[in-house]
Amino acid sequence: MPDTSSALHLFADVLARVHAACRTLAADANWPEGIDFSRVVVEPPRDASHGDMATNAAMVLAKEAKAKPRDLAEQIAERLRADALIAKVDVAGPGFINLTLKPAAWAEALRTVLREGADYGRVRGGSKVNVEYVSANPTGPMHVGHCRGAVFGDALASLLQFGGHDVTREYYINDAGAQVDVLARSAFLRYREALGQDIGAIPEGLYPGDYLKPVGQALAKEHGDKLLAMSETQWLPTVRAKAIAMMMDEIRDDLAALNIRHDVFFSERSLIEAGNNKVAETIDFLKAKGDIYEGRLPPPKGAPVEDWEDREQLLFKATAYGDDVDRPLIKSDGSYTYFASDIAYHKNKFDRGFAEMIDVWGADHGGYIKRMQAAVKATTSGKGALDVKIVQLVKLLRNGEPVKMGKRAGNFVTLRDVVDEVGQDAVRFMMLYRKNDAVLDFDLAKVIEQSRDNPVFYVQYGHARGHSIFRNARAEVFPELPEDTSKRIAWLGESAVERLSDPVELELLKRLAIFPRMLEAAAAAHEPHRIAFYLYDLASEFHALWTKGRDLPYLRFIINNDAELTKARLAMVQGVVSVLASGLAILGVHAPDEMR
């Protein structure tokens, strides 16, 4: 169980109080021993008018308590009404319990934000997780479609790390299939070109982009014209290795432009090396378990299935683990199917200690999920779990019009083109400003607008505005206000934050208080987009309060004749700045002190 004791945020605090009330009731009423109280949660109510928090305690404990949920809710509510932190308790519907907290709770929540700083909402002691993302074929530069999966996977890994998990970021290099042989043949053409030969038009089926010209030049420099005298069988391994190495260098550079890194680059080819054939070992392992047999697959219904052949062949019993049909492992030419290699790869992950695996795939791989999850169940005897996150397409636009393809890549817009045009921050934030399984419209013109309609600008501007308020306060009221963040937080920690009593101030404090609970839910659901949505809402409330201060002077952050209130409001601004910076850091986006 993750350790949250170092930062008992408000929702965790209230949850502990609800658990205590339930345990006291259980003891008084002689409930059975060993009741699982972990099912009891405290979360924001769907309707804010119902209160500040809601708990399902009565709904999930009614069976063990041998009581009607509504009756049990009344008993739990009675105990919670005696809590010093809680102003009101209401029972609603079949047994939901709605809680309204006293204003002092929100002041204390702000103190927690200030006290914890960059660690506010952080959890320690989570499980070991492997997040595999990007894993693009090393056959060319990264395109804008890869960009979304790269950003999503990287942000998810950061979110899970913040949530206490021991995360390994992994890239699976597909360097063993037919596509890398096509890459080698395409690179060989560019090699001939670099030697001065006329190669004419690039033949159909080969990669046409100019990005392979440097590979050809490197091969010419390294080997001269020696490769020309060789047969394809002889030169192919040499050219393939060089092309893959250079493409992976380019891919790493493209990812670095997005501030994306991986801990492990795992080679598919390493799974089938002579003397260490992990695919054959995995097939033998599944055979010993009775999960592989010789048989025929029935003809597919509806659309043709890529891996169907009407022959006796080696099949994995995928249907025994939840798939729709059993799956072939060896092609008619004797080579392994992609699926066979993928089974061995995921077994390798488990053998490396990863019972929890997350794969980030493109939208065209949705039909592959069931068979892969079946394979993980089989190879781990049910001890491993695979969650596949599908990342939908990106529609690249400029002022609402589709963007034309790039020349260098041959038939697509590269990731680097997009980053160079709008910047790393805009790309990262906007790639997360929609749920991963929804198609994303990415307008190159819109994401550099300086307006509320541009979420990344609006959130970053919120952080910069906070620092602008500090500068003004230093000039007008508090010359001693420290510029150093940790010293400033310590100085503001002494503020009389209980003076923050206006409804709009309390709403902002409530938004800050929900940050750890939001992170917890986002990590559990593997949904980093929730952070982007939250940050936009927080920035919007902050900007709205600043705007109200222009019309209503008593709401201004700096009150020249009330130093105590000003200091309390600066503490609130620091809370906003800290949480914006923390959330942006998880997303891999900079938090500027000034907008330039």
Side-chain angles (χ1 to χ4, degrees), residues 426-438:
V427 172
R428 288 194 65 121
F429 194 95
M430 294 310 298
M431 288 291 165
L432 295 164
Y433 201 63
R434 194 165 178 83
K435 197 170 186 294
N436 57 283
D437 58 4

Side-chain angles (χ1 to χ4, degrees), residues 143-149 363 391-405 412-414 418 422 426-427 430-447:
H143 58 66
V144 72
H146 296 133
C147 179
R148 191 177 185 190
V391 176
Q392 269 292 352
L393 302 174
V394 176
K395 293 182 180 177
L396 198 61
L397 310 169
R398 183 178 281 109
N399 290 317
E401 296 295 322
V403 173
K404 293 180 180 177
M405 303 298 182
F412 54 80
V413 180
T414 67
V418 177
V422 302
V427 172
M430 294 310 298
M431 288 291 165
L432 295 164
Y433 201 63
R434 194 165 178 83
K435 197 170 186 294
N436 57 283
D437 58 4
V439 174
L440 173 70
D441 288 344
F442 188 93
D443 196 307
L444 294 166
K446 297 289 184 185
V447 300

Side-chain angles (χ1 to χ4, degrees), residues 522-542:
H526 299 164
E527 293 183 344
H529 71 273
R530 296 191 191 194
I531 303 173
F533 291 176
Y534 168 88
L535 294 176
Y536 183 78
D537 289 341
L538 175 60
S540 296
E541 289 189 23
F542 182 47

